[in-house]
Each structure stands twice: as structure tokens, then as C-alpha cells.
């Protein structure tokens, strides 16, 4: 009895030891900071000789009255609502294109995927050049067509949209890979069965392809949604949230509050809100993926 | 009346001829089987009749009309795929009515036809299920239902039973044949299984290397094989071949050979192995060097090493030309074949 209990104990110890490096890393850089952030959001920011004190939900009340928070929140919502569907539609369209039997499709696949392998800051710099008002590529084209210059990143009406274009450009190629994999999972004789019924291409897409890639679409949509709320590097590199907070997004605002204004407690409260938001999206993902879309 | 007419059809993949100048006709309301080993061009021929592949040469007529340029339903053809090709996201009912729904058939009409097909195939209780919740045999029935609901005059089946176990295969074989006869539709059925072909077909079209080796009734293929290939391919146990003089080959089916255990009649042979199967036994005998397979009752099988006499009816002898492999017409009764047997010289293989 004794040796057997020992060996069982040993297995548990070994298991925990093997998991330990991952647990330590996750805990120290993800879980503990997250919990500390939530706790910090109920305290005031220590300033000079004034130590931090418990202030309950004051930060959250302040947040509700903070116009910049609402601006960032609405900007982010619009950002997600536009970039996610457009990137998905483009990704699926590109995947359908390069899944077909066309000449040079490997080159085309590579071309579509290239934006993904560029670092965000490099991509942002390329697009900065496109958007530059005097000699930028876009304005050169527009002038050539007889229109006036547009200050893409410097105008409140276009700054956010200009950022969205970069996100879509960068993400569509990445999502295409997922759709391409999904399309190649569809057995070709399903399409032959449809051909036997003389089904048009649009009907084939609507009745067969679209439902069969639905799990992938959902997976991509959730990830795109999470990404949309995590964008910060692009804002820093291209607009700095300006002009007049026209392109401020949630994470960028948190960054500003925490490291420009050094109001760490308010930043913690903002982070908590963002965390809840993303947690909700992740929960929706698990629920939908497990319950709503299953056909196999 | 001819339902399907295939005229000098060839299919080239680059240089290779998958189907090489194939012509045949299928009578309305009959079941024709395209039989042959894998790679013989039978599936390609079926796909060309379906309109999924276009012939490189030749024409196909269905119900008296040249159907070049038309596919599937528009040429009056439905198809059951080897993999069933059921839509995994649709219920059984939606799978079966898929073709009707894309053609905009009225709801009442669709429901009426679905009801009919479901009753015919016993699919009633399964209509709300998804394909993944069905057994292989049930999936096969759904695939069949999807082909039948179109009420197309011609139904094509591409190795429909190859993914099922032996028991189910036999059941569905009977069922498909019964359905075909009851509904009076024309069926073209592709298989590599000669038992399936022999038991179901009105006509068997045996193919090899993209060409037709023989086209006839199952009895034709069994009783009068047109060449050595057909003789070997059709039948339960492989046919035995013996060289005759004059460049001829004698083919004998194991079931036609009578084994005389007293060795007092027939050609002398030595038993080299016995495969006991219960009701019967497969006895391999050697006439000189040449093995001959005979079938006896399981209980009365001779022992290995025994001397036996082998005999057969003159009409059971199939004689082929050794170089071309073609069947030779011989007059039975005038002389028995046995005096011509060359039992001593070394013999080639067929």
C-alpha cells in the first residue's frame, strides 16, 4: 500500500513540476497583474506624499463623466464594426480567389499574405508615406484625378478611417489563411453533387461554402473583434490619437492615462473595463463555438 | 428503346487515354454495370455520362438527344457518389430535397415527393437528422434518395456500396435492384466487384485499360467469355488454363471439373493442396507441371498427394487463341480436348 501511494503522489508532484514554468510565467505576467489591476482601480493614485487610499467606485464614476473615454469607446466600437466585417469579407474573397485553379496562385497567395509578415511599425510607416498630404501616394493619385488634397491623418473626419484601412489591409491576408484552410477541408464531391443539380455559383456559395466555413468565420470574427480592442501600436505610430482625439482608441487612451498622465489608478479602472469587454467576447466565443455551430 | 447511347467516346488526360473509343447502349428500364479493375476507365466513363467530365472525342445521347454541353439534371441524369457527397450541414430532408429547392420546385410538390422517397427507402424516422448521425448504410440510402427524388430517367451509381460491410452490401444490392425494377428507371452502375455485377445487372460491360473487353448479359460473360481476361475476371474461383497444341489455350472453371477419386477415368493428376470451405473444397491438382483448380463437396475432398482423375463436359471447355487471347469457336462432340493436352512441356502463364 505504502509504495503505491508514494508513486501516485510522485506522479502528481511530477505533473505540477512540469506545469510549473508555464504557471509561473502566466501567473506573474498575466493573472496576478490582472487581479492587481482590478484591485488598484478601487484606490486613488498615490501622488507625492499623498498615499493611495480606498475610494470605491469613484474612478468608475469619473469614467462615466469622461468625454475622452466615451470618445475612445465609441471610436473603438466603430472601429470594430467596420474593420471586422470588411476584413472577413476581403479574406474570404481572397481565399476563394486563390483556392481556384488560376495561374500564379502561389504568387498571389504570397502577395495577399505579405502584409501579415510585416511588423506593425514598418507597415505604419509605409502607410504614413501613402497618407502624407503633399507628396503622399494617395494624394498624388487624387490630384491626378483632379481632386483637392486630403489631409488623411490630420483631419478629424478622415483620421480614424485611415487607420481602419491599415488594419483591414494588414489583417485580411492573415485571415485569408484560415479561410483557405477551411475551403480546402470541403470535400470536392459536394461541389460535384451541386454541379449535378446545375446550381449557380452564388447559390453554391450561399448554400454550401458559406455554411461549411461558418465555424472558421466565427473563429476569425471573434479574434478580429479582440484585436480591434487591442490596437495601440498603430495609433502611436501614425496619429498619436489625434487630431482632437479623433483616432483615440481604448488601449491607446489607457496608455496615455498611465504613462503620459501617470494616473495609474484611473488607467487601472479603464483596463478593468477593457478586460471585462474582452472577457465577454471570449465567453461568447466559447459559447457560440461549442453550442451554436456544430454540424459534424 | 435506347436510354443511353455512348458513341466512340475517348477521354485523354494529356497523353494518357483513360477511356479509349468506347461504345455501348443501355436499354430503357434496365441496369447496366460497368465492371473492371481499378484504373480501367469505368468511373471516367460514368462521369462523362453524368456530364461532370467532357469526352475528348465521341458523343453521348440520352433519351435520343445529344447531351454535349449539359450537366446532370439538365441531361436527365442523377448520380450517387461513392462517398455519398451528403451536405454535412443539412438535415436528411434538406439533403434529399436540395436539387428541388435550388430549382424552385413548389413546397407542396417537394413535400409530396420527399414523402414518397422517404417511404420507399424507409427514411421517414431519420428526416430531421444530420448525416453525421447516420450509419453508413443509412447515409447510402439518403444519397440514393437524393438521386431518386429528381425522378430523372437515368440514375448513375459510382461504386455505391464500396464503403459498406459485406452483410449490408448484400442487402442493399437486392434493394437497389428491386428499386430499379419497381421504378422502371435506367441505371448505370460502376463497380469492381464481379459478384455485384453478376447478381444485379441486365448487362455487364467489362472494361480494361480504357477499352471494353466484353459487353453482354451476366450469363454471356460467364458461359461464353470472349477472351482470357473476361474468363479470369468472371467467376468465383480463378479459371485454370492449360496449353493445347496449335497455339490454343484451354480454360476450365473449377466448378465444371469432376474429380474422380478412383483415378480410373479422366486425366491423371496429383492433388497438391486442398482448401476446405465447409460445403465445398477447392482442390488444386497438377496435370504434369500445370495446376488445375477443381471444386468438390467439402465432405468428399481427396487428400493431398492423392492420385485422381479429372474430367469435364466437352461443352464446359473454353478455348482461346494463345496470342490474341480471343475465344475460339470449337465444335463440341467430335473430339474431346484431352488428347491435345501438352502436359509435359514447360508452360507459360496467363
Amino acid at each position: 500500500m505504502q509504495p503505491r501511494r508514494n508513486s501516485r503522489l510522485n506522479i502528481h508532484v511530477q505533473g505540477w513540476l512540469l506545469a510549473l514554468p508555464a504557471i509561473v510565467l502566466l501567473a506573474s505576467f498575466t493573472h496576478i497583474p490582472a487581479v492587481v489591476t482590478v484591485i488598484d482601480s478601487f484606490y486613488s493614485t498615490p501622488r507625492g506624499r499623498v498615499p493611495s487610499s480606498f475610494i470605491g467606485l469613484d474612478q468608475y464614476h469619473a469614467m462615466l463623466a469622461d468625454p475622452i473615454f466615451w470618445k475612445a469607446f465609441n471610436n473603438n466600437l466603430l472601429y470594430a464594426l467596420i474593420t471586422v466585417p470588411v476584413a472577413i469579407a476581403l479574406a474570404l474573397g481572397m481565399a476563394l480567389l486563390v483556392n481556384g485553379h488560376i495561374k500564379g496562385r502561389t504568387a498571389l497567395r504570397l502577395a495577399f499574405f505579405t502584409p501579415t509578415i510585416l511588423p506593425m511599425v514598418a507597415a505604419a510607416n509605409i502607410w504614413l508615406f501613402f497618407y502624407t498630404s503633399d507628396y503622399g501616394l494617395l494624394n498624388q493619385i487624387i490630384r491626378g484625378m483632379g481632386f483637392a488634397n486630403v489631409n488623411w491623418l490630420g483631419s478629424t473626419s478622415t483620421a480614424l478611417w485611415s487607420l481602419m484601412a491599415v488594419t483591414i489591409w494588414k489583417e485580411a491576408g492573415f485571415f485569408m489563411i484560415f479561410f483557405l484552410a477551411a475551403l480546402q477541408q470541403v470535400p470536392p464531391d459536394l461541389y460535384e453533387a451541386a454541379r449535378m443539380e446545375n446550381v449557380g455559383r452564388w447559390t453554391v456559395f450561399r448554400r454550401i461554402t458559406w455554411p461549411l466555413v461558418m465555424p472558421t468565420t466565427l473563429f476569425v470574427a471573434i479574434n478580429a473583434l479582440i484585436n480591434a480592442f487591442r490596437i495601440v501600436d498603430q495609433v502611436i505610430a501614425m496619429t498619436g490619437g489625434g487630431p482632437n482625439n479623433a483616432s483615440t482608441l481604448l488601449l491607446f487612451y489607457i496608455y496615455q492615462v498611465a504613462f503620459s498622465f501617470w494616473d495609474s489608478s484611473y488607467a487601472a479602472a479603464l483596463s478593468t473595463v477593457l478586460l471585462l469587454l474582452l472577457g465577454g467576447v471570449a465567453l461568447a466565443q466559447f459559447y457560440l463555438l461549442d453550442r451554436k455551430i456544430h454540424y459534424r | 428503346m435506347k436510354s443511353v447511347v455512348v458513341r466512340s467516346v475517348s477521354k485523354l488526360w494529356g497523353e494518357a487515354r483513360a477511356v479509349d473509343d468506347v461504345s455501348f447502349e443501355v436499354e430503357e428500364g434496365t441496369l447496366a454495370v460497368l465492371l473492371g479493375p481499378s484504373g480501367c476507365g469505368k468511373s471516367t466513363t460514368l462521369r462523362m455520362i453524368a456530364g461532370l467530365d467532357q469526352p475528348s472525342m465521341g458523343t453521348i445521347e440520352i433519351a435520343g438527344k445529344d447531351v454535349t454541353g449539359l450537366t446532370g439534371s439538365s441531361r436527365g441524369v442523377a448520380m450517387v457518389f461513392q462517398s455519398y457527397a451528403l451536405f454535412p450541414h443539412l438535415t436528411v430532408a434538406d439533403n434529399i430535397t436540395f436539387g428541388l429547392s435550388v430549382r424552385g420546385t413548389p413546397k407542396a410538390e417537394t413535400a409530396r415527393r420527399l414523402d414518397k422517397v422517404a417511404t420507399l427507402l424507409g427514411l421517414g424516422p431519420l428526416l430531421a437528422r444530420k448525416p453525421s448521425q447516420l450509419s453508413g448504410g443509412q447515409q447510402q440510402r439518403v444519397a440514393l434518395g437524393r438521386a431518386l427524388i429528381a425522378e430523372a430517367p437515368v440514375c448513375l451509381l459510382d461504386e455505391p456500396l464500396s464503403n459498406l460491410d459485406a452483410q449490408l452490401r448484400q442487402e442493399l444490392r437486392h434493394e437497389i435492384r428491386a428499386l430499379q425494377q419497381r421504378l422502371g428507371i435506367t441505371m448505370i452502375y460502376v463497380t469492381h466487384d464481379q459478384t455485384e455485377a453478376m447478381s444485379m445487372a441486365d448487362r455487364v460491360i467489362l472494361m480494361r485499360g480504357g477499352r471494353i473487353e466484353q459487353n453482354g448479359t451476366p450469363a454471356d460473360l460467364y458461359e461464353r467469355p470472349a477472351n482470357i481476361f473476361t474468363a479470369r475476371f468472371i467467376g468465383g474461383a480463378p479459371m485454370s488454363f492449360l496449353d493445347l497444341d496449335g497455339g490454343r489455350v484451354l480454360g476450365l472453371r473449377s466448378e465444371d471439373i469432376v474429380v474422380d477419386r478412383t483415378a480410373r477415368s479422366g486425366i491423371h493428376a496429383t492433388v497438391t493442396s486442398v482448401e476446405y470451405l465447409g460445403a465445398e473444397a477447392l482442390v488444386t491438382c497438377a496435370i504434369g507441371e500445370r495446376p488445375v483448380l477443381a471444386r468438390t463437396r467439402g465432405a468428399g475432398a481427396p487428400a493431398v498427394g492423392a492420385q485422381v482423375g479429372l474430367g469435364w463436359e466437352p461443352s464446359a471447355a473454353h478455348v482461346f487463341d494463345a496470342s490474341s487471347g480471343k475465344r475460339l469457336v470449337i465444335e463440341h462432340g467430335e473430339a474431346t480436348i484431352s488428347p491435345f493436352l501438352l502436359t509435359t512441356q514447360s508452360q507459360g502463364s496467363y
Side-chain angles (χ1 to χ4, degrees):
Chain A
M1 206 61 209
Q2 198 59 36
R4 207 171 142 196
R5 232 168 110 191
N6 269 343
S7 74
R8 201 178 272 174
L9 194 70
N10 269 338
I11 282 182
H12 284 293
V13 170
Q14 275 180 27
W16 282 105
L17 280 175
L18 286 171
L20 194 63
I23 292 174
V24 167
L25 282 173
L26 270 175
S28 50
F29 292 106
T30 306
H31 298 143
I32 295 172
V35 173
V36 170
T37 300
V38 175
I39 295 170
D40 279 356
S41 71
F42 299 114
Y43 289 83
S44 63
T45 307
R47 294 200 190 277
R49 258 174 278 160
V50 186
S52 84
S53 59
F54 183 78
I55 52 166
L57 292 173
D58 278 9
Q59 301 282 19
Y60 295 91
H61 289 307
M63 198 189 302
L64 289 176
D66 178 0
I68 302 175
F69 163 74
W70 284 113
K71 180 76 185 165
F73 185 82
N74 289 332
N75 277 349
N76 222 151
L77 217 54
L78 185 67
Y79 207 88
L81 284 178
I82 300 292
T83 59
V84 174
V86 173
I88 285 177
L90 270 178
L92 186 54
M94 292 191 298
L96 285 169
L97 189 65
V98 298
N99 193 39
H101 295 280
I102 52 166
K103 267 195 175 168
R105 73 176 176 176
T106 311
L108 206 54
R109 281 180 191 181
L110 190 66
F112 287 155
F113 192 62
T114 311
T116 307
I117 52 183
L118 287 178
M120 188 67 230
V121 176
N125 275 296
I126 295 171
W127 280 85
L128 273 178
F129 164 69
F130 289 169
Y131 285 141
T132 302
S133 27
D134 304 326
Y135 51 88
L137 189 70
L138 274 177
N139 276 343
Q140 286 189 28
I141 294 169
I142 282 182
R143 273 204 305 269
M145 292 181 349
F147 293 98
N149 265 353
V150 178
N151 191 357
W152 297 101
L153 295 173
S155 149
T156 48
S157 58
T158 53
L160 190 64
W161 298 94
S162 302
L163 288 187
M164 286 183 192
V166 179
T167 301
I168 292 166
W169 172 81
K170 194 146 173 24
E171 295 212 309
F174 183 52
F175 296 150
M176 176 199 74
I177 298 296
F178 291 95
F179 280 116
L180 197 55
L183 288 176
Q184 287 174 350
Q185 291 291 311
V186 180
D189 44 8
L190 292 188
Y191 292 120
E192 295 204 322
R195 264 183 74 200
M196 288 299 291
E197 307 291 351
N198 291 287
V199 183
R201 286 175 70 166
W202 168 243
T203 311
V204 168
F205 176 77
R206 194 170 54 86
R207 298 282 302 267
I208 301 171
T209 311
W210 178 247
L212 286 179
V213 301
M214 199 56 186
T216 304
T217 309
L218 190 70
F219 171 80
V220 166
I222 299 286
N223 279 286
L225 203 58
I226 292 174
N227 281 347
F229 283 98
R230 290 197 323 184
I231 286 174
V232 65
D233 41 3
Q234 194 182 328
V235 184
I236 294 172
M238 295 185 73
T239 63
N244 192 21
N245 293 315
S247 62
T248 295
L249 300 179
L250 271 182
L251 195 57
F252 178 77
Y253 185 48
I254 294 173
Y255 166 82
Q256 260 192 328
V257 169
F259 303 109
S260 301
F261 312 150
W262 296 105
D263 190 350
S264 58
S265 287
Y266 187 45
L270 287 167
S271 298
T272 304
V273 168
L274 186 60
L275 213 60
L276 286 174
L277 206 67
L278 293 180
V281 173
L283 271 180
Q285 171 181 20
F286 285 127
Y287 178 77
L288 285 172
L289 276 184
D290 289 351
R291 307 269 174 93
K292 291 293 170 195
I293 299 181
H294 98 100
Y295 57 88
R296 282 188 194 281
Chain B
M1 195 190 144
K2 307 274 179 278
S3 178
V4 177
V5 179
V6 175
R7 273 209 188 95
S8 310
V9 162
S10 296
K11 180 70 186 178
L12 287 79
W13 304 113
E15 285 294 292
R17 280 177 179 264
V19 174
D20 191 1
D21 194 21
V22 159
S23 301
F24 62 87
E25 296 174 344
V26 181
E27 291 286 331
E28 196 177 300
T30 64
L31 195 154
V33 167
L34 291 172
L35 176 68
S38 59
C40 72
K42 57 190 191 299
S43 282
T44 309
T45 306
L46 194 77
R47 288 174 58 84
M48 287 191 285
I49 297 171
L52 291 172
D53 287 333
Q54 294 305 318
S56 311
M57 276 166 265
T59 56
I60 293 168
E61 284 174 21
I62 290 168
K65 271 194 314 200
D66 187 334
V67 289
T68 308
L70 302 174
T71 306
S73 58
S74 51
R75 49 165 77 180
V77 163
M79 183 154 167
V80 176
F81 290 83
Q82 183 173 3
S83 63
Y84 317 140
L86 299 179
F87 302 114
H89 57 294
L90 299 181
T91 61
V92 168
D94 289 343
N95 260 292
I96 294 175
T97 57
F98 181 81
L100 298 184
S101 79
V102 295
R103 255 170 277 145
T105 310
K107 283 231 163 62
E109 167 78 1
T110 303
R112 189 185 62 75
R113 287 214 222 169
L114 174 64
D115 189 50
K116 195 172 137 197
V117 166
T119 313
L120 205 62
L121 293 165
L123 288 171
L126 307 175
L127 288 178
R129 295 213 196 152
K130 297 276 176 74
S132 60
Q133 297 165 295
L134 303 178
S135 70
Q138 290 168 333
Q139 291 185 13
Q140 176 57 65
R141 271 171 224 268
V142 177
L144 208 53
R146 192 172 62 184
L148 291 180
I149 201 165
E151 295 176 1
V154 179
C155 183
L156 309 174
L157 300 98
D158 188 6
E159 308 230 12
L161 307 181
S162 61
N163 296 333
L164 304 174
D165 61 54
Q167 170 77 29
L168 211 53
R169 222 159 36 212
Q170 200 170 6
E171 277 173 35
L172 276 165
R173 214 157 70 196
H174 289 300
E175 203 173 312
I176 291 174
R177 176 61 163 161
L179 272 174
Q180 179 265 324
Q181 288 177 326
R182 182 134 59 105
L183 301 174
I185 49 177
T186 309
M187 268 193 186
I188 302 181
Y189 187 110
V190 161
T191 183
H192 61 266
D193 180 346
Q194 56 118 352
T195 321
E196 244 168 73
M198 299 297 275
S199 61
M200 296 175 76
D202 292 305
R203 276 198 101 72
V204 175
I205 299 160
L206 179 63
M207 294 182 70
R208 178 175 65 152
R211 289 172 167 276
I212 294 179
E213 290 285 332
Q214 189 168 356
N215 175 355
T217 64
D220 282 342
L221 268 75
Y222 179 78
E223 289 163 13
R224 284 177 298 283
N227 47 51
I228 291 182
F229 174 77
T230 308
R232 292 184 77 96
F233 201 87
I234 305 290
M239 190 182 257
S240 305
F241 293 99
L242 297 164
D243 283 358
L244 303 178
D245 61 351
R248 296 183 301 163
V249 177
L250 169 65
L252 291 168
R253 294 202 186 277
S254 58
E255 53 270 37
D256 291 332
I257 298 177
V258 181
V259 179
D260 179 7
R261 291 179 66 185
T262 61
R264 257 180 256 141
S265 67
I267 297 171
H268 288 282
T270 312
V271 176
T272 55
S273 75
V274 176
E275 194 182 342
Y276 178 73
L277 299 170
E280 54 181 23
L282 284 176
V283 180
T284 312
C285 307
I287 300 177
E289 306 259 292
R290 198 72 193 164
V292 172
L293 201 60
R295 223 179 264 235
T296 66
R297 289 182 54 80
V304 174
Q307 295 293 317
V308 294
L310 302 179
W312 55 85
E313 292 288 320
S315 61
H318 305 276
V319 181
F320 303 98
D321 182 69
S323 51
S324 69
K326 288 214 162 63
R327 183 184 188 84
L328 297 171
V329 181
I330 52 162
E331 289 90 50
H332 294 298
E334 288 176 13
T336 57
I337 302 296
S338 46
F340 303 110
L341 274 178
L342 304 176
T343 53
T344 48
Q345 75 187 51
S346 66
Q347 295 169 349
S349 60
Y350 300 97

